[in-house]
Amino acid sequence: MSFFGVECVRKKERELERKLRANDREYNLPFRYATNAIKTSKYNPFTFLPLNLFEQFQRIANAYFLFLLALQVIPQISSLSWFTTVVPLVLVLTVTAAKDATDDINRHRSDKQVNNRKVQVLIDRKLRSEKWMDVQVGDIIKLENNQFVTADLLLLSSSEPLNLVYIETAELDGETNLKVRQALTVTGDLGEDIEKLADFNGEVRCEPPNNRLDRFTGTLTYAGQKHPVDNGKILLRGCTLRNTEWCFGLVLFGGPETKLMQNCGKSTFKRTSIDRLMNVLVLCIFGFLAFMCTILAIGNCFWELNEGSQFTVFLPRQDENSPRFSAFLTFWSYVIILNTVVPISLYVSVEIIRLGNSFYIDWDRKMYYARNDTPAEARTTTLNEELGQIKYVFSDKTGTLTQNIMTFNKCSINGKSYGDVFDYTGQRLEITGHTETVDFSFNQLADPRFIFHDHALVEAVKLENPEVHAFFRLLALCHTVMAEEKTEGELFYLAQSPDEGALVTAARNFGFVFRSRTPDSVSIVEMGKQRSYELLAILDFNNVRKRMSVIVRSPEGKLSLYCKGADTIIYERLHQSCSQLMDVTTEHLNEFAGEGLRTLALAYKDLDEAYFNQWKQRHHEVSTALDDQEGKLDELYEEIEKDLLLLGATAIEDKLQDGVPQTIEQLSKADIKIWVLTGDKQETAENIGYSCNLLREEMNEVFVVSGNSPEDVRQELRNALTSMKPEEDSVLLPERTLGKGVKVIPDEVVNGDYGLVINGHSLAYALECSMELEFLRAACMCKAVICCRVTPLQKAQVVELVKKYKQAVTLAIGDGANDVSMIKAAHIGVGISGQEGMQAVLSSDYSFAQFRFLQRLLLVHGRWSYLRMCKFLRYFFYKNFTFTFVHFWYAFFCGFSAQTVYDEWFITLYNLVYTALPVLGMSLFDQDVNDAWSFQHPKLYVPGQLNLYFSKKAFFQCALHSGYSSLVLFFIPYAAMHDTVRDDGKDVADYQSFALLTQTCLLFAVTIQLGFEMSYWTAVNTFFVLGSLAMYFVVTFTMYSDGMFLMIPSAFPFIGTARNSLNQPNIWLTILLTAILCVLPVVTCRFLFIQLCPTINDKVMFKVRQAKATPPPPPRRTRIRRTSSRRSGYAFSHAQGYGDLVTSRRFLRRPALSRSSGVVHAGRTTTSFSPMGRSAGYSPTGRPQNTKVPDVEVTSLQMYRTIRDPAL
């Protein structure tokens, strides 16, 4: 532990291999392995103050004001008291330190909560309850069901047969499907015998700590034997034990060395475009400040040479200072006086505004998702205004646009389509929540939550149609699902993918109930009869095969191969006799695809016993071969999976989230471009694109880039560019340089709407340096872009590409661990707390439960935050420049002596008291139009994308306006008081009276200007404005009173000035005149601009006034009708290798309960399976899904239009 409270490991040689011994802390101690305590906090009570101050003074503004404070303690150059800088600086440091302390206290609490969790550790031959933080490498610990895994463990034994454990890794990799781990046989024999476990002294040699989640290499040496250890025997910290009573594990890595902590990484510090612009402007202000001080110093030198020499008789120079040295001192004196051009309170106010606007997001009930009790959350307070400037949205598909809940909707069996409902005239009916559902009461094992509407399919099952029975028999046998039945009749499935769960549940309800499995058998109930099939082989799924098969022997001894997979793959392997059936099924598949459904083809073949025995022998030989095992297995699979007979096809719906089409339409109207980056296959992603209104049939063309070589991809991109802009040479890329040689690709206008779909392998070529600009140019010309089969790294690369070459703000939104890299890469990351764990949310800047809330986040909260921040900055710079420039003009009348034009107390309180609350009120409550009008007119969002509200141009306009106002504020009071007397004939043209008049005029002028800036007056705003003016007069009369002067004469020299000056009519007339002259140009310019060239804001606000501020009627949510013949291939979501586990005798549950023919309905909500909707819905997290079924448009095969694929 270092002094600064940052946990670190002592300097030692880089660990190349980890060596440890079980149950031997003395042996492991010299290696100095990390303990299991984690530390994410930055400070402790002793280091907080020095560390925090050190960090704060690394900010240029704080260091600048500390430098000013140092100048102010030098008497020769300071004309201001030290408290004018100390008070604001201390306030800023205190507020920031309090915020940092609060954040760190929360981190301490989180660390403490995790570190103090209890786990049973085997110490001195007894199980003791210990804190997580006290667990050490080499300890043996016991975990129980539903417990978090404490550290990275080598699994030793478990309660399950064959020493299996089931884990959920949602917090680690976003996957909610259960995974299986198995202990070595040699350690599995230890069981839960404490004596045997305490005597276990195995030694482990393994890889050093790293962040690879999918790999592990090591060996266990025990009883003189070496045993290999791979990833299948490791439990990682962050996982949760499921459906396993207990297990024992040996700690390999603890705390910061676990793979979970190694993967945390450091998020890049995100800054808004306004922050970056502010840095540039502050540097410009520093330069301008130096310029003004130089002019005044030169003026002082000339004044000392010409005029000052005449005063030396009365006021001798100290230490015989020369005019040049006097000018040098004057330069630094004016640096102090004019420092308010960069007010320190600016930074405090910005933080308060951002914090307030973040609370609005947290408190927004319209972004609260009641079903999951999930509110919207602003996880950062520094990026709010950037939400109003988004140009590109990068979105995941599954779980973000869709619900990741699969429902069995339709199927085609032997050339007949099922799933639609027709009336007596043969017209297809729209399925609604009131449509009659199928009665499954004939099947006592049916899941009551499964809903289907087409009675014809049930009738076909009851009539024992052989093709229909074979169809559902295939679905009940060809899968890797595990069934669990802890009590009689309560059956639920543990599926590796939601698709599998939906298909097996569909078969279950139609009378073919998968009941249980062993490594060599599958038991199903066929129409009430128990049957057991011998499982001879599983031909596993992988991304190349895109299919899986099982070979089974029926109770009658018949050998069959059942296969399911992507329709294009299955069609290539069908027997020629299926050609006619294939044509009809293809027509059905096109219809299913037109509705955005995920399709799957089913086929089978009967096998000859002799041929299969010979094939199985070769399969065994290849399985034990060391060279090219995978390739040889694929050849064997190809050999047997041919001449198949087609049974039909299934159609599964990955339901869109509520409001997705409407949200995308609104964002498109706001000129926000949406790119979908998904790991799903092209056909599925493309059809979901049409379903959610991202791609439209009305588009001029949708380009498909699917080249398999760099030359093909380049040509396809150039063809797309030529089609969109035929008059230009597509090779020539318009560009300009933006700092450090980075080329910026400007936006190009094309006639028409276009879309772009690109595959993952083509994207890999398109992202190469030689082609990335062509890809970016083509993609940015399109209204919508879909990237399919992309890896998490490619998602981040696409985001980085747009950030690098486009002057635009990007937002990435996703719900899974595979979206984390994209979320971190974008300017703003949004996490959806959905079906794929919380990893995306934990890495995000903002989070909520539904994609549809994105339009409110951007079009309302984002736009308001940007508008408020820009108004705040414009006004803040105006009021402070005006305040400071008056000093500049006064210098020419005070002999460049660095005398202040205002009272010192006014200088101190101007930004902290007199003008702080009114501008904060505007920045927290102002809105040009309400949220309803913001949705009614999405184009209101466009000015933010173009930086129209605050830019360098707007800044210099503020500076010019301030220069004019400062001239008015100085010379009007100066002229009004010149040679003027009071009513009683006494002189009022003294310095203190002039200072009071000038500062009063200034305060009225900037307050009236604030009133013109505000569009939305509330009681709070009004109170702040009037209250601040009242506070000024209260403080002024108090400070200038006799009592204060008598208490501290040196601090309150303006005795009686307020009551002597402010009772004169000409003073108030001067205040009125200066206020009118200051705001007159603003009123004139705004009137002319509104009349001659009104902005979109002006037009909408005029409509609002016409409507007398009544909210517009809510926009009609038009139903999106999908008509297309595009084909959707089934997006198989298996992981390779699961089939091998099923058949390897390592995947065996407890013996199932004895069964009888009569079983009660299974209606239990489980942790892994929740059908919903109008068909089987499989949810990997198992939350109850009692959603209302959305309306489905009536579709007909004749309604679909053929679309020519542009890639052909």
Side-chain angles (χ1 to χ4, degrees), residues 908-929:
T908 304
L909 300 177
Y910 176 70
N911 280 312
L912 294 180
V913 177
Y914 301 148
T915 60
L917 289 180
V919 70
L920 282 178
M922 177 186 72
S923 307
L924 290 174
F925 302 109
D926 196 44
Q927 50 183 261
D928 50 353
V929 295

Side-chain angles (χ1 to χ4, degrees), residues 828-1027:
I828 291 179
V830 177
I832 289 186
S833 50
Q835 304 286 344
E836 296 188 26
M838 296 292 290
Q839 201 72 7
V841 170
L842 294 176
S843 302
S844 66
D845 305 305
Y846 300 88
S847 67
F848 41 71
Q850 294 278 289
F851 180 83
R852 69 175 185 269
F853 297 148
L854 182 63
Q855 63 174 322
R856 185 167 183 86
L857 182 71
L858 300 186
L859 302 185
V860 178
H861 291 289
R863 198 180 67 81
W864 282 350
S865 295
Y866 174 70
L867 182 65
R868 290 164 180 165
M869 183 60 72
C870 292
K871 280 190 174 185
F872 165 79
L873 291 174
R874 290 201 308 262
Y875 175 74
F876 209 96
F877 281 124
Y878 165 76
K879 75 181 182 68
N880 278 85
F881 282 5
T882 304
F883 174 91
T884 306
F885 289 164
V886 174
H887 278 300
F888 183 79
W889 308 126
Y890 182 65
F892 292 89
F893 293 83
C894 70
F896 305 97
S897 60
Q899 185 182 20
T900 58
V901 71
Y902 312 117
D903 171 27
E904 287 185 354
W905 283 107
F906 181 80
I907 295 173
T908 304
L909 300 177
Y910 176 70
N911 280 312
L912 294 180
V913 177
Y914 301 148
T915 60
L917 289 180
V919 70
L920 282 178
M922 177 186 72
S923 307
L924 290 174
F925 302 109
D926 196 44
Q927 50 183 261
D928 50 353
V929 295
N930 61 26
D931 55 348
W933 283 97
S934 296
F935 286 133
Q936 187 83 348
H937 299 276
K939 285 292 182 183
L940 285 169
Y941 190 82
V942 174
Q945 297 171 333
L946 303 176
N947 292 309
L948 296 184
Y949 293 150
F950 187 74
S951 59
K952 293 176 184 176
K953 178 182 176 182
F955 172 77
F956 288 115
Q957 287 175 345
C958 286
L960 289 175
H961 182 201
S962 299
Y964 164 78
S965 297
S966 65
L967 286 168
V968 171
L969 289 167
F970 177 76
F971 286 103
I972 296 295
Y974 178 81
M977 297 192 73
H978 187 66
D979 292 335
T980 303
V981 294
R982 290 164 47 88
D983 294 341
D984 55 7
K986 295 180 181 179
D987 190 12
V988 294
D990 61 276
Y991 162 72
Q992 292 185 347
S993 299
F994 176 73
L996 175 66
L997 175 58
T998 306
Q999 64 196 35
T1000 306
C1001 290
L1002 169 69
L1003 196 60
F1004 271 92
V1006 297
T1007 302
I1008 294 172
Q1009 177 66 32
L1010 178 73
F1012 281 108
E1013 290 287 343
M1014 248 187 302
S1015 306
Y1016 185 65
W1017 284 84
T1018 65
V1020 177
N1021 285 15
T1022 307
F1023 174 76
F1024 282 171
V1025 170
L1026 299 180

Side-chain angles (χ1 to χ4, degrees), residues 286-329:
F286 284 156
F288 185 61
L289 173 63
F291 175 71
M292 287 195 298
C293 293
T294 302
I295 290 177
L296 297 178
I298 294 172
N300 176 267
C301 182
F302 281 104
W303 191 90
E304 289 287 348
L305 287 172
N306 298 321
E307 304 290 337
S309 57
Q310 300 175 19
F311 285 85
T312 55
V313 176
F314 310 102
L315 192 64
R317 293 195 179 99
Q318 293 181 358
D319 302 326
E320 297 296 327
N321 289 342
S322 67
R324 290 184 179 84
F325 186 71
S326 175
F328 173 76
L329 296 178

Side-chain angles (χ1 to χ4, degrees), residues 256-274:
E257 294 178 345
T258 59
K259 290 183 183 285
L260 173 67
M261 298 303 292
Q262 293 277 317
N263 269 282
C264 286
K266 290 186 177 180
S267 299
T268 56
F269 179 67
K270 296 182 178 181
R271 308 189 65 159
T272 66
S273 57
I274 285 184

